[in-house]
Amino acid sequence: MEPLNVYAARLITTKEYFTPGHRACQGCAEALAVRLVAKALGRDVIVSAATGCMEIVSSNLPYTAWKVPWIHVAFENAAAVASGVEAGLKVLMRKGKLPKKKIYSLAMAGDGGTSDIGLQALSGALERGHNMLFVCYDNEAYMNTGIQRSSSTPYGAATTTSPAGKVIKGQTTWKKNVAEIAAAHSIPYVATACPSYPFDLMKKVKKGAEADGPAYIHILSVCPTGWRIPPDLSIRIGRLAVETGIFPLYEVENGKYNINFVPEKLRPVEDYLKPQGRFRHLTPEMIEKIQNRVNKEWEKLKAKAGLCE
Amino acid sequence: MGKRVGMEVSIGAAEAVKLARAECIAAYPITPQTHIVEHLSELVNNGELDAEFIPVESEHSAMSVCCGCSAVGARTFTCTSSQGMALMNEILFIVPAMRLPIVMILANRSLSSPLSIWNDHSDIMSIRDTGWIQLFAENGQEVVDHVLFAFKVAENPNVLLPVMINMDGFILSHVIEPIELPDQDVVDKFLPPYNPVQRLHPDHPITMGAFAIPDLFTETKKAQEEAIKSSFPYIIKAWDELGNTIGRYYNPIEKYKSEGKKILFITMGSFGETVMTAIDMMEEKGIDVGLIRIRLWRPFPEKEFLDAIKDADILIVIDRAITFGGMAGPVTTEIRSVLYHEENMPAVVGFICGLAGRDVTPKDYERMVEIAKEKVKKGKEKEYEIYGVRE
Ligand SMILES: Cc1ncc(C[n+]2csc(CCOP(=O)(O)OP(=O)(O)O)c2C)c(N)n1
Ligand code: SF4
Ligand SMILES: [Mg+2]
């Protein structure tokens, strides 16, 4: 990663395509991520959005937060709609019915609209090779419907359908790794990102959009409401996710892995888990289990990136 | 004018899509629709049709891809049947609400379970209220003509609604019929390139598919209802234009030997042809029966229908689907509701028959006339009958 690890607003375009006035909660890093993605792509894009927080907060009829063309059809089909947008533009430009020019087709969905109900449409679109970018805004639960668990909810996290009960304490399964699933489609570009690292995020979005074929970017998007943290901690928590190795930032370019941020030593996962209300109930054993898992996954990733002896 | 050649109706349908110069086709195979998509992919891969063929991984995605294609302004076609239609159900409601002029052929097939690939109308009846303009074709030529017609209607800036052509599975899809494919220049004159009123494009950004609070939702739905109601005159006009172009004229309600008849059959789709044969046979025996075919199912041509049945005492309505737990088959129920305010209401006798491809012969229709007369005599016309069922 470049040494620009401080947010310097002046280094980013002042143009807004996802404009203020939307109704996201205070401190919503998903909205921040959406804003950065929109800035990175500029005006020449058509956005196909899945149902979820970002759709609901931005398109309250008759208002819209979108200054770029935007369509929402349903929850599970953003990848399919974006496939259609791409195919439609292609044929219309080929036939001379639209002036030839690069217009990005962007699909956006939450973790539910990506890793659960939207996985089939996503896989289909990646396999068919549409020239489109799919961005998953992963806030690790179905936030729009009231913080229910998804397959992207991390182990131990309390949600309204994986509550911290007396017997079963929160999510019992490990987070599904959709970036790896996307990479298994052998598409030209896959990356993970986090708005706590805005320059890294925007660079990846541009790369993904310019890739020759489908691209997938998985963005960890801190949700203060669902994660039970004060809104002013969003950026901090995002950084901790990366610094603990819980959410490594990496790219897979034409099959080649590259970790963008390799700390000399990972911080203990506890630093990340402790401030969050959704992990309040974790026992020391559970924290240890998470630590072991993170260490193992980190080594696996490093091996893929050729960083192991 | 093209000449009539024998071809499978599905092939004719695909050729019509080519004549319509469709630009995007997204579909997923399901019997009995398969031959349409297969032939379309052949046409695209052979360079005969300059379109994007998107071989999606499900029907849900088929209709979703179609939304994307249509929203950027491409002429868009898909087709499906039964289970496939059921899988795309969610999106079927969204398409007309977003005013996307997609054209779809539904090769009608029964819905599981038990699984059956054969023809009836249980699929279409389950999506009656999606907001699509819905037509029924009776033979192969009608399918071909109505593909061209459907794009004409759907893309009319005064309409902007999706159009669904119902075509009975196997009975139509898989038979070889003499079909006339109009010449390309004739079609081009009838159906100019699609010129969308608005489309998704960076030069004039719009937001499509926003959400509505309760305070606005009812108004958006009222607007949608207005849209389909007021599409009617444009549908009629498009049929006129089609007739003037290819010499075949169509109406929302078609009549056969119905003038002055006291007993009328009401059918939709391919069963009309067998009923005509039955009517001719009965005529020879001195049994006076006529036929009314409903071609346009949505928007329902109320006035034309009432006019067509005004002299009748008994309407025998043929349903090809069941409304479980309801009062009669879906078409029978609909007809009764259309008649409710009429002064001289005819008796309406409902028969459910031909489920999952079960044959209904002219003799059966003759028998239905007898049963219907009997029921009316006994004042029991309200009780519908699943014709020929073994109990
Ligand atoms: C087919 C269907 N099932 C369920 C829903 C209800 N629903 C709407 S948004 C949503 C959760 C969205 O979660 P996610 O994709 O993670 O996005 P987030 O709101 O968390 O950003 C659900 C379950 C729906 N709209 N459609
Ligand atoms: S619930 Fe979470 S993701 Fe949704 S708007 Fe609020 S903070 Fe953002
Ligand atoms: Mg979510």
Side-chain angles (χ1 to χ4, degrees):
Chain A
M1 188 184 295
E2 284 165 24
L4 296 165
N5 54 7
V6 197
Y7 182 73
R10 264 169 299 159
L11 294 176
I12 296 181
T13 173
T14 53
K15 282 228 173 78
E16 299 291 353
Y17 300 95
F18 176 68
T19 59
H22 60 72
R23 315 187 318 158
C25 314
Q26 227 178 52
C28 174
E30 188 166 350
L32 175 60
V34 170
R35 178 175 166 219
L36 293 171
V37 169
K39 276 178 185 275
L41 293 175
R43 76 183 283 279
D44 288 334
V45 62
I46 295 175
V47 186
S48 304
T51 313
C53 270
M54 291 305 105
E55 168 259 330
I56 288 292
V57 304
S58 68
S59 73
N60 185 4
L61 201 74
Y63 308 108
T64 180
W66 292 95
K67 283 198 169 169
V68 286
W70 182 92
I71 182 170
H72 159 252
V73 179
F75 184 19
E76 62 289 79
N77 62 356
V81 177
S83 304
V85 165
E86 183 253 11
L89 290 176
K90 194 156 120 191
V91 64
L92 292 173
M93 288 186 196
R94 182 170 74 229
K95 288 185 150 186
K97 290 191 177 173
L98 278 181
K100 279 208 168 88
K101 113 189 232 189
K102 177 101 189 172
I103 299 173
Y104 302 127
S105 177
L106 170 73
M108 58 177 269
D111 48 298
T114 305
S115 61
D116 294 334
I117 205 165
L119 190 61
Q120 176 180 318
L122 171 62
S123 176
L126 297 183
E127 173 274 325
R128 290 192 300 271
H130 295 278
N131 223 323
M132 59 168 239
L133 168 62
F134 189 105
V135 174
C136 168
Y137 297 105
D138 181 6
N139 54 16
E140 303 194 317
Y142 303 155
M143 296 311 175
N144 181 48
T145 36
I147 326 176
Q148 294 88 11
R149 66 85 75 178
S150 77
S151 61
S152 200
T153 301
Y155 170 81
T159 68
T160 53
T161 52
S162 64
K166 288 192 182 118
V167 181
I168 301 171
K169 294 186 185 307
Q171 177 90 331
T172 54
T173 50
W174 296 107
K175 185 181 175 76
K176 190 189 278 186
N177 192 332
V178 187
E180 289 300 314
I181 293 174
H185 289 74
S186 298
I187 54 174
Y189 189 76
V190 175
T192 63
C194 175
S196 302
Y197 299 82
F199 296 102
D200 178 68
L201 184 149
M202 292 177 70
K203 202 174 74 188
K204 286 171 173 170
V205 169
K206 273 186 212 136
K207 252 195 199 175
E210 287 297 334
D212 188 18
Y216 176 85
I217 301 183
H218 196 98
I219 301 184
L220 185 74
S221 310
V222 178
C223 161
T225 308
W227 294 16
R228 313 273 189 236
I229 57 164
D232 60 328
L233 276 194
S234 290
I235 303 299
R236 181 92 211 99
I237 293 290
R239 294 184 77 86
L240 282 167
V242 174
E243 289 166 7
T244 53
I246 281 186
F247 190 83
L249 298 179
Y250 65 97
E251 292 167 293
V252 190
E253 263 185 284
N254 296 312
K256 207 176 153 296
Y257 281 72
N258 174 32
I259 307 179
N260 307 101
F261 180 75
V262 188
E264 270 178 35
K265 194 169 173 302
L266 293 182
R267 291 177 71 145
V269 292
E270 216 169 340
D271 292 359
Y272 171 75
L273 302 172
K274 268 277 144 74
Q276 301 184 46
R278 62 175 175 158
F279 295 118
R280 189 183 297 130
H281 54 281
L282 294 192
T283 60
E285 295 74 40
M286 288 172 89
I287 294 176
E288 195 189 329
K289 202 169 155 183
I290 294 170
Q291 186 66 64
N292 290 340
R293 169 93 177 186
V294 167
N295 295 347
K296 207 174 92 198
E297 291 295 315
W298 178 245
E299 290 308 315
K300 254 169 52 185
L301 181 65
K302 282 208 305 196
K304 282 184 188 159
L307 295 181
C308 287
E309 300 77 49
Chain B
M1 250 325 91
K3 65 173 198 297
R4 277 178 179 258
V5 287
M7 72 176 83
E8 194 188 294
V9 173
S10 289
I11 305 301
E15 289 288 335
V17 174
K18 176 189 144 195
L19 283 170
R21 299 187 190 276
E23 287 156 334
C24 287
I25 300 150
Y28 191 85
I30 178 168
T31 305
Q33 150 268 34
T34 37
H35 292 181
I36 305 176
V37 263
E38 287 168 4
H39 193 62
L40 280 169
S41 23
E42 238 171 76
L43 291 171
V44 171
N45 281 11
N46 289 335
E48 291 176 53
L49 171 60
D50 186 6
E52 287 294 306
F53 183 87
I54 304 114
V56 282
E57 83 297 335
S58 75
E59 286 85 356
H60 193 284
S61 282
M63 193 49 80
S64 304
V65 167
C66 286
C67 286
C69 300
S70 187
V72 296
R75 181 169 286 166
T76 304
F77 175 81
T78 187
C79 49
T80 190
S81 285
S82 151
Q83 305 309 117
M85 179 217 75
L87 187 57
M88 61 168 69
N89 182 285
E90 183 196 23
I91 313 304
L92 288 175
F93 285 84
I94 298 172
V95 174
M98 302 226 300
R99 310 294 298 271
L100 297 171
I102 296 166
V103 169
M104 168 159 83
I105 292 182
L106 189 60
N108 302 114
R109 158 181 158 178
S110 50
L111 279 172
S112 272
S113 134
L115 189 133
S116 160
I117 57 167
W118 306 105
N119 162 246
D120 63 35
H121 291 170
S122 52
D123 54 5
I124 166 65
M125 286 304 148
S126 78
I127 55 159
R128 184 192 62 184
D129 296 340
T130 46
W132 287 59
I133 292 174
Q134 296 164 31
L135 305 158
F136 280 80
E138 189 173 83
N139 56 45
Q141 189 65 58
E142 291 192 6
V143 173
V144 167
D145 294 349
H146 281 88
V147 167
L148 311 175
F149 165 84
F151 282 110
K152 178 91 172 174
V153 170
E155 294 169 1
N156 183 327
N158 295 303
V159 177
L160 280 184
L161 286 169
V163 178
M164 184 188 306
I165 302 155
N166 287 279
M167 146 177 135
D168 284 321
F170 292 108
I171 299 176
L172 289 187
S173 63
H174 283 56
V175 298
I176 294 176
E177 288 188 13
I179 289 177
E180 185 212 310
L181 293 173
D183 293 336
Q184 185 69 63
D185 54 335
V186 174
V187 175
D188 288 347
K189 234 183 265 154
F190 172 72
L191 185 65
Y194 174 35
N195 185 17
V197 177
Q198 50 179 19
R199 56 152 58 104
L200 291 173
H201 193 279
D203 288 351
H204 35 79
I206 52 168
T207 288
M208 291 181 73
F211 94 95
I213 52 170
D215 194 39
L216 278 179
F217 188 86
T218 311
E219 283 65 29
T220 66
K221 286 291 132 180
K222 165 78 176 161
Q224 190 185 334
E225 166 72 347
E226 284 293 318
I228 190 161
K229 286 249 165 86
S230 53
S231 71
F232 188 74
Y234 302 103
I235 294 172
I236 301 298
K237 193 165 157 264
W239 266 324
D240 280 349
E241 276 181 59
L242 182 76
N244 295 340
T245 312
I246 61 170
R248 283 179 292 276
Y249 289 87
Y250 296 103
N251 300 291
I253 298 290
E254 302 285 2
K255 305 174 212 170
Y256 183 72
K257 299 189 175 172
S258 67
E259 288 311 317
K261 295 285 164 64
K262 295 293 167 204
I263 302 178
L264 292 176
F265 274 100
I266 314 286
T267 64
M268 296 205 299
S270 66
F271 272 28
E273 294 212 330
T274 328
V275 175
M276 286 191 224
T277 311
I279 285 172
D280 294 348
M281 285 165 61
M282 283 186 261
E283 199 174 31
E284 280 169 25
K285 296 188 195 167
I287 310 168
D288 252 358
V289 184
L291 167 67
I292 299 297
R293 293 187 285 131
I294 303 171
R295 180 189 304 289
L296 182 63
W297 176 231
R298 283 293 181 275
F300 191 84
E302 193 178 338
K303 199 177 133 293
E304 290 69 13
F305 179 82
L306 287 174
D307 190 54
I309 58 97
K310 63 180 185 304
D311 299 327
D313 295 332
I314 301 177
L315 303 184
I316 304 173
V317 185
I318 303 301
D319 262 298
R320 315 263 338 264
I322 301 181
T323 312
F324 294 101
M327 280 68 66
V331 184
T332 304
T333 315
E334 178 103 350
I335 298 304
R336 285 194 178 133
S337 108
V338 172
L339 293 171
Y340 185 76
H341 290 287
E342 294 309 298
E343 266 169 30
N344 300 314
M345 200 171 14
V348 179
V349 184
F351 288 97
I352 292 170
C353 62
L355 296 186
R358 188 175 288 187
D359 217 14
V360 187
T361 65
K363 273 211 99 48
D364 292 319
Y365 291 113
E366 199 176 324
R367 177 82 192 110
M368 284 182 218
V369 173
E370 286 164 23
I371 299 172
K373 283 182 183 164
E374 198 62 23
K375 276 183 190 271
V376 173
K377 210 191 291 170
K378 290 187 184 153
K380 294 206 157 166
E381 68 263 23
K382 206 175 158 217
E383 293 164 16
Y384 74 95
E385 182 167 325
I386 301 185
Y387 180 83
V389 70
R390 295 185 296 271
E391 290 183 21

